[in-house]
Amino acid sequence: MSTPSLSGGAGAFSGFTRLCKGLAVVLIGGHIVVQFLPQAVNYLALIPARTIPFVWNLLTAGYIEQSVYGVVVSTLGLLFIGKLLEPVWGSREFLKFIFVVNFLTSICTFITAIALYYITMNENYLYLPLSGFYGVLSGFLVGIKQIIPDQELPLLKIKSKWLPSLSILLSIAISFWTAQSATYLPILIFGTYISWIYLRYWQRKPETKLKGDPSDDFAFSTFFPEFLRPVIDPVASIFHRMLCGRFEASSESQGYTLGGTTLPGSDPIEASRRRERGARALEERLAAERLGAAQGTEESGRDATESV
């Protein structure tokens, strides 16, 4: 099988899934609402001081883009990355991923804002409206890292497995020059981490009835450069035992052994197959797009010939 490419030529602007189009309408619609009704931000965005009793903003905040730049980036990211991930995961799992990552990212952001207020006594942390699809977008990059980690980006000449790390590193660097970093940086960081937890431990595989991706290639330390991994691995293992001890105990009762490869659904072969399916689905989609683009070019040439 030939290596798939992330560049699809003219066909790159086609093949968007129906679900992604629908979610794009939601993002654009949410932006239009807050532009024409600015007071709607108080009820739809995550404002920690008002989350109680307005608890629904833990769900709605992720779909509200307050700036034109934000809605453009989020919509394009959803359409282009979604058409790679949804065929591999399936529409139901894709939608579930978005819901879980968005909701848990909002909860973590809320807790962080409250903690920062009590540490600094700065009320800005309580009343700053936080919203945006950035958490889910960063989660999509983690999904790309999982299914096609060794795919090289056509322009940057880097492997896609580094996309989540680079996005966070770039966001942190930008935060030193902008006062708006508090509105997006926590969402990006939590979105990346929550999505990794979901894909690592929780995502169900209908074909195997197992959960998660225990492969070494998807370990938490793989988000960091090679020379840092001996330091990251022991720290990550501590948090793993704290957060997943009960989870692992139940997996032991199902016949899995504990250790470096002892997670629910702990089959490295299954993880490898998943990446192969992702690469195959991507290749098939890109081939279909190239075929459609070629047919469109032929029809245009035929029409031009007939007109002459």
Side-chain angles (χ1 to χ4, degrees):
M1 181 181 68
S2 61
T3 302
S5 171
L6 290 176
S7 59
F13 295 93
S14 62
F16 302 127
T17 67
R18 184 178 303 177
L19 176 58
C20 287
K21 291 178 181 178
L23 291 172
V25 171
V26 172
L27 293 178
I28 296 172
H31 175 71
I32 293 174
V33 168
V34 298
Q35 293 304 307
F36 284 94
L37 299 172
Q39 65 272 22
V41 172
N42 297 328
Y43 301 95
L44 299 177
L46 175 61
I47 302 178
R50 298 174 178 173
T51 298
I52 301 176
F54 301 155
V55 293
W56 59 79
N57 60 36
L58 293 172
L59 292 173
T60 59
Y63 308 103
I64 300 300
E65 292 290 353
Q66 300 180 49
S67 67
V68 175
Y69 169 80
V71 74
V72 169
V73 171
S74 295
T75 301
L76 293 178
L78 169 64
L79 292 174
F80 282 96
I81 304 179
K83 74 173 183 177
L84 300 180
L85 295 178
E86 187 181 341
V88 179
W89 291 348
S91 298
R92 182 176 180 180
E93 177 60 34
F94 182 73
L95 186 60
K96 179 182 176 183
F97 174 85
I98 292 175
F99 176 83
V100 172
V101 171
N102 174 57
F103 180 60
L104 294 184
T105 297
S106 294
I107 291 179
C108 292
T109 304
F110 169 75
I111 294 174
T112 301
I114 297 297
L116 288 173
Y117 165 71
Y118 281 108
I119 292 172
T120 65
M121 300 307 294
N122 185 347
E123 291 189 353
N124 287 335
Y125 290 116
L126 292 181
Y127 294 99
L128 184 66
L130 305 171
S131 66
F133 202 63
Y134 314 121
V136 176
L137 286 184
S138 62
F140 285 168
L141 297 183
V142 178
I144 292 293
K145 171 185 173 68
Q146 182 194 39
I147 64 173
I148 46 174
D150 296 321
Q151 172 66 50
E152 190 175 84
L153 300 181
L155 297 178
L156 301 179
K157 300 301 180 182
I158 60 172
K159 293 184 177 180
S160 57
K161 65 182 179 181
W162 294 114
L163 285 176
S165 306
L166 289 176
S167 68
I168 291 181
L169 184 62
L170 180 62
S171 299
I172 292 175
I174 294 175
S175 69
F176 289 104
W177 287 278
T178 175
Q180 301 298 319
S181 60
T183 62
Y184 66 84
L185 193 57
I187 298 176
L188 276 171
I189 294 175
F190 285 126
T192 300
Y193 187 59
I194 293 298
S195 61
W196 175 78
I197 290 178
Y198 180 88
L199 296 174
R200 180 75 166 173
Y201 301 112
W202 298 341
Q203 188 181 52
R204 290 186 177 275
K205 308 298 180 300
E207 64 275 14
T208 61
K209 298 183 179 179
L210 300 177
K211 293 194 291 187
D213 181 354
S215 63
D216 293 337
D217 293 336
F218 198 56
F220 183 70
S221 60
T222 61
F223 287 84
F224 299 86
E226 190 77 32
F227 69 90
L228 290 177
R229 293 178 189 177
V231 178
I232 300 298
D233 279 329
V235 177
S237 65
I238 294 174
F239 283 96
H240 170 72
R241 287 193 293 269
M242 291 172 56
L243 298 174
C244 307
R246 183 181 303 177
F247 204 53
E248 287 188 340
S250 64
S251 70
E252 268 195 319
S253 65
Q254 297 176 14
Y256 299 107
T257 58
L258 291 180
T261 58
T262 59
L263 303 175
S266 55
D267 186 356
I269 297 177
E270 164 59 24
S272 177
R273 289 173 179 169
R274 185 182 311 116
R275 286 190 292 272
E276 290 178 0
R277 287 195 300 270
R280 189 181 306 113
L282 176 58
E283 182 174 296
E284 292 173 353
R285 175 171 289 275
L286 293 176
E289 291 176 352
R290 287 192 292 268
L291 178 60
Q295 291 176 346
T297 303
E298 291 178 358
E299 291 177 357
S300 299
R302 190 180 304 113
D303 292 340
T305 303
E306 292 176 353
S307 62
V308 172

